[in-house]
Amino acid sequence: MDIDLSDVKSTDSVPLTSRDRNFFNQLNRFMIDESAKVGGNPSKERFAVFRLAFEKIIEKSSLYRPLFRAIKQEYEECIATLESGAEEVEAMSTDLHRLVLQPKTFLLRQKRCMELEDKLAIIEQENKQVEREIAEVLAQIENEETTSAKEIIQNTDTSSQLRTGHRRIPGLTFAEETNLKELEKYRDFLRDKHSRLEENASNKYTKKEKRIEMQNLFEQKLSDLDKQREQRLTLRNRLRLYHLAWR
């Protein structure tokens, strides 16, 4: 930047008045107090304190104002460039840190993927084992159902054979079953037994209808006896009252 010095007048000595001395004393006190507030380390706040002090000097000095303002402008542009560079350096540092951590992150993700693949393989093996067990159970159930169906068919065939006359006669041996005379004797025995049962049923046992009829008759007799008893009690009470009345 070109500095315009046309308005600056050169003099050998510039005397300080009491007013100027008071101004510089106040300015010096201002810089000391404000610097103590923001701290001694370089910072934007400390730079703002000195920039404000320099601005007061520029406003105070009318003779060197263009020169001071040009110097201030150069310093501010230089500081702005440094701040921009610092921001770029900070951004680059952040990017560099991220790039440094990226391989580690990639390795962690790869490790996590391998762990998940191992777990997935274990789950697949367990699923296959469960499928095999289910298939075995289904096969066992199917075998049991087949066996049960065969048993039912066999029992059905056996019962049909029994109904067709192939049943053994109880109380007879196989030789007696094939002997005609023994079969005739057994038939006569069954006839006699059947006759005795019918005779006993007619003589020794009472039919259900007959038993109900006798029970009804017995209840009727009891009811008649109760009525006769009540009538006798009534007559007896009347006779007693009659005797009491004639005394």
Side-chain angles (χ1 to χ4, degrees), residues 148-160:
S148 178
K150 289 181 179 179
E151 291 178 354
I152 292 172
I153 293 171
Q154 186 176 1
N155 293 331
T156 304
D157 294 338
T158 304
S159 61
S160 62

Side-chain angles (χ1 to χ4, degrees), residues 64-216:
Y64 300 104
R65 184 178 298 167
L67 177 62
F68 289 162
R69 195 171 294 281
I71 294 171
K72 178 176 177 294
Q73 183 68 26
E74 286 291 332
Y75 270 103
E76 288 184 352
E77 290 179 358
C78 181
I79 291 172
T81 303
L82 292 175
E83 289 179 349
S84 177
E87 292 177 355
E88 292 180 359
V89 169
E90 185 177 359
M92 292 176 64
S93 177
T94 303
D95 295 337
L96 180 61
H97 182 68
R98 186 172 61 254
L99 291 174
V100 170
L101 293 178
Q102 189 172 3
K104 185 177 180 180
T105 305
F106 177 75
L107 292 175
L108 292 175
R109 289 181 179 178
Q110 189 175 7
K111 182 179 178 181
R112 180 61 177 169
C113 290
M114 294 175 64
E115 291 177 353
L116 292 175
E117 289 177 355
D118 294 337
K119 290 182 179 180
L120 183 61
I122 294 172
I123 292 172
E124 289 179 353
Q125 292 179 359
E126 292 179 352
N127 289 336
K128 290 180 180 179
Q129 180 66 25
V130 171
E131 289 177 357
R132 286 195 296 269
E133 292 178 356
I134 292 173
E136 291 176 358
V137 171
L138 292 176
Q140 184 178 0
I141 293 173
E142 186 177 358
N143 293 331
E144 291 178 355
E145 290 179 352
T146 304
T147 305
S148 178
K150 289 181 179 179
E151 291 178 354
I152 292 172
I153 293 171
Q154 186 176 1
N155 293 331
T156 304
D157 294 338
T158 304
S159 61
S160 62
Q161 290 178 1
L162 293 175
R163 288 194 296 270
T164 55
H166 295 285
R167 186 176 179 182
R168 296 288 302 276
I169 299 174
L172 296 179
T173 62
F174 182 75
E176 292 174 346
E177 288 180 358
T178 56
N179 192 345
L180 183 59
K181 292 182 179 181
E182 294 294 334
L183 291 175
E184 289 178 353
K185 289 181 181 180
Y186 189 71
R187 184 190 62 183
D188 295 336
F189 168 74
L190 291 177
R191 285 180 178 177
D192 293 339
K193 187 175 182 179
H194 180 68
S195 299
R196 287 196 301 271
L197 289 174
E198 288 183 350
E199 184 179 358
N200 291 331
S202 60
N203 297 329
K204 295 182 179 180
Y205 302 101
T206 305
K207 294 183 179 181
K208 183 177 180 181
E209 293 80 3
K210 186 68 175 178
R211 188 169 61 252
I212 293 173
E213 183 180 356
M214 292 178 65
Q215 185 176 358
N216 293 332

